[in-house]
């Protein structure tokens, strides 16, 4: 079955959805894109074959899609999400779904009413191949019960989301301490391509500790890390029986029998391989801990993750496993906002249970029960 979705917004993130639909036309079809710019609409139609519309009403005249992707700034997203939901149209919205804590609560209270359509949030990091494999190892029991996680992968709510999943945390209350360190860094590439000259920028690194009772999460990230050639990602998850550190897995088969293994990406198109150019999956020893569901499409890791979100929308709409719910997104953004408060003030900040907390805990228990 081909899923049909529309897009509201024409920024950098919208291009990801356009590329994925073009690479997987048998699975995804874009019915249209809403943008205020006539020039942008013409460019998108010329490049992608997707018709542009000036507003939602014009888009919906030509038919209602299975869901709508909302890819606009956080300060205007809630109004568009509510408009679509009030029309009975499911939504997959970019992160975060709203700007501040009060905005999150207002959006939640509006959408949590009976009869409202499904609203999911486009948090792709835990669905990307490597992080998906690493989190699968953490859930497998090899490490025992995860008690520590250090996440240096992505900013704010993205990093918090990975940290919570690594630790198996729901809406547990936490004490947060944070600080900021600034240091010089040679600029790397950006969204527009490689650097054209040497330039020194200031890297602003936030380090935070989230104390969840018997579990500890550490967030460590500078925004310059996303594109830098010389600042790598790091993930460390520890339990009483082992740890995963980036691609290395160390654990105990018995108390006197250690096992050492590595994650291995299996790529095609290398050397004399003529299968094409795509990721087949990731192995730990002889076990596949991630299989690419979209081969042989030529997608990068981020695009694979986003395609998994799109692919999961029908199940979420039908009431099955969520892609990444509004409740989870609200909790992760809430904790990220508290982290920023802690960094700005230098004080310890403590979270409290928010209106979506029970749903976050229920979804965690459901994931654990399903394995």
């Amino acid at each position: 079955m081909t899923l049909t979705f529309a897009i509201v917004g024409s920024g950098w993130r919208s291009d990801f959805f356009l590329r994925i639909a073009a690479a997987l036309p048998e699975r995804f079809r874009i019915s249209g894109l809403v943008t205020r710019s006539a020039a942008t609409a013409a460019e998108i139609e010329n490049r992608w074959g997707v018709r542009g519309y000036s507003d939602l009403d014009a888009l919906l005249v030509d038919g209602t899609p299975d869901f709508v992707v909302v890819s606009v700034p956080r300060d205007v997203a809630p109004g568009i999400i509510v408009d679509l939901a009030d029309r009975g149209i499911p939504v997959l919205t970019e992160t975060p779904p709203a700007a501040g804590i009060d905005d999150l609560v207002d959006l939640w209270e509006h959408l949590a009413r009976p009869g409202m359509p499904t609203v999911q949030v486009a948090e792709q990091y835990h669905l990307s191949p490597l992080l998906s494999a690493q989190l699968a190892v953490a859930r497998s029991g090899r490490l025992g019960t995860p008690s520590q996680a250090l996440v240096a992968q992505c900013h704010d709510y993205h990093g918090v989301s990975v940290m919570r999943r690594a630790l198996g945390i729901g809406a547990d209350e936490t004490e947060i301490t944070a600080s900021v360190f600034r240091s010089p860094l040679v600029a790397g590439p950006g969204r527009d391509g490689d650097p054209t000259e040497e330039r020194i920028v200031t890297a602003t690194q936030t380090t935070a500790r989230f104390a969840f009772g018997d579990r500890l999460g550490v967030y460590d990230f500078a925004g310059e890390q996303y594109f830098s050639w010389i600042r790598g990602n790091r993930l460390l998850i520890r339990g009483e029986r082992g740890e995963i550190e980036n691609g290395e897995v160390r654990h105990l088969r018995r108390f006197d029998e250690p096992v050492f293994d590595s994650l291995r990406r299996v790529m095609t198109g290398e050397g004399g391989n003529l299968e094409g150019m795509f990721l087949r999956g990731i192995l730990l020893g002889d076990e596949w801990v991630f299989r690419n569901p979209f081969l042989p499409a030529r997608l990068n890791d981020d695009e694979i993750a986003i395609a998994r979100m799109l692919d999961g929308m029908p199940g979420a709409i039908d009431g099955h496993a969520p892609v990444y719910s509004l409740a989870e997104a609200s909790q992760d953004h809430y904790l990220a906002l508290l982290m920023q408060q802690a960094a700005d003030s230098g004080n310890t900040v403590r979270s409290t249970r928010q209106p979506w907390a029970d749903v976050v805990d229920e979804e965690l228990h459901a994931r654990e029960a399903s394995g």
Side-chain angles (χ1 to χ4, degrees):
M1 181 186 78
T2 302
L3 284 175
T4 298
F5 66 93
I7 303 173
V8 177
S10 55
W12 185 70
R13 291 301 298 179
S14 297
D15 279 357
F16 285 75
F17 297 97
L18 291 162
R19 287 198 300 269
I20 291 163
L24 295 166
E26 73 285 359
R27 301 182 79 141
F28 307 118
R29 184 181 77 86
I30 301 177
S31 61
L33 183 146
V34 176
T35 176
R36 291 178 295 181
S37 167
T40 300
E43 179 186 351
I44 287 171
E45 186 161 0
N46 181 61
R47 183 178 179 188
W48 301 105
V50 173
R51 184 176 175 185
Y53 295 85
S54 59
D55 55 42
L56 273 177
D57 291 331
L59 169 74
L60 297 176
V61 163
D62 290 338
T64 303
D66 296 319
F67 59 93
V68 173
V69 171
V70 174
S71 184
V72 298
R74 67 184 72 181
D75 56 336
V76 298
I80 297 171
I81 296 167
V82 166
D83 186 3
L84 287 162
D86 287 346
R87 297 171 189 248
I89 301 172
V91 172
L92 176 64
T93 183
E94 274 289 357
T95 56
I101 296 173
D102 290 342
D103 303 312
L104 288 172
V105 172
D106 289 344
L107 184 63
W108 172 261
E109 290 179 345
H110 186 93
L111 297 175
R113 295 178 301 165
M116 297 299 284
T118 298
V119 174
Q120 299 289 286
V121 180
E123 174 56 59
Q124 81 275 18
Y125 280 93
H126 67 281
L127 298 174
S128 63
L130 179 56
L131 275 169
S132 187
Q134 292 166 324
L135 292 173
V137 172
R139 291 192 305 269
S140 69
R142 288 178 177 85
L143 313 183
T145 300
S147 57
Q148 298 179 51
L150 184 152
V151 179
Q153 291 278 339
C154 37
H155 76 282
D156 295 346
Y157 41 86
H158 298 302
V160 171
S161 172
V162 173
M163 180 190 69
R164 276 200 314 106
R165 285 183 176 247
L167 291 172
I169 293 289
D172 306 48
E173 294 183 12
T174 181
E175 287 188 347
I176 306 168
T177 55
S179 62
V180 173
F181 176 70
R182 295 176 175 85
S183 60
L185 178 68
V186 176
R191 291 183 178 181
D192 297 326
D194 289 355
T196 56
E197 62 182 4
E198 180 166 320
R199 185 169 57 91
I200 301 295
V201 297
T202 299
T204 301
Q205 178 181 346
T206 299
T207 303
R209 291 168 59 92
F210 292 77
F212 296 96
D214 60 352
R215 284 167 290 182
L216 174 67
V218 178
Y219 168 102
D220 184 35
F221 192 73
E224 293 73 20
Q225 188 174 320
Y226 275 126
F227 285 98
S228 177
W229 288 317
I230 55 174
R231 292 291 185 268
N233 292 338
R234 303 186 307 285
L235 180 68
L236 171 66
I237 307 172
R238 286 176 167 165
E240 78 276 9
R241 303 196 63 81
E243 68 178 24
I244 177 169
E245 181 184 18
N246 298 329
E248 299 299 313
V249 180
R250 298 176 279 271
H251 66 102
L252 297 173
R253 184 173 289 135
R254 293 172 15 117
F255 74 94
D256 59 352
E257 189 177 347
V259 177
F260 306 95
D261 218 331
S262 301
L263 295 175
R264 177 187 173 189
R265 291 177 66 93
V266 181
M267 294 291 301
T268 63
E270 298 178 342
N273 183 282
L274 302 178
E275 295 178 77
M277 180 65 76
F278 57 86
L279 171 70
R280 188 167 290 283
I282 299 179
L283 283 166
L284 179 66
D286 61 357
E287 178 186 346
W288 290 98
V289 287
F290 176 81
R291 290 179 182 268
N292 181 3
F294 304 111
L295 52 85
R298 192 168 179 170
L299 301 174
N300 64 37
D301 281 14
D302 206 48
E303 290 164 348
I304 290 171
I306 295 169
R308 292 182 70 189
M309 290 189 306
L310 293 170
D311 203 44
M313 279 297 290
I317 292 168
D318 290 341
H320 303 304
V323 175
Y324 176 79
S325 69
L326 179 63
E328 276 212 276
S330 299
Q331 180 67 12
D332 289 331
H333 188 38
Y334 166 62
L335 292 181
L337 291 170
L338 294 188
M339 175 177 67
Q340 189 60 56
Q341 289 179 21
D344 291 343
S345 68
N347 298 325
T348 299
V349 176
R350 184 171 183 85
S351 69
T352 58
R353 289 183 69 84
Q354 297 298 307
W356 50 77
D358 289 345
V359 177
V360 173
D361 289 339
E362 290 167 7
E363 289 178 355
L364 171 65
H365 296 326
R367 285 200 302 273
E368 292 174 339
S370 65

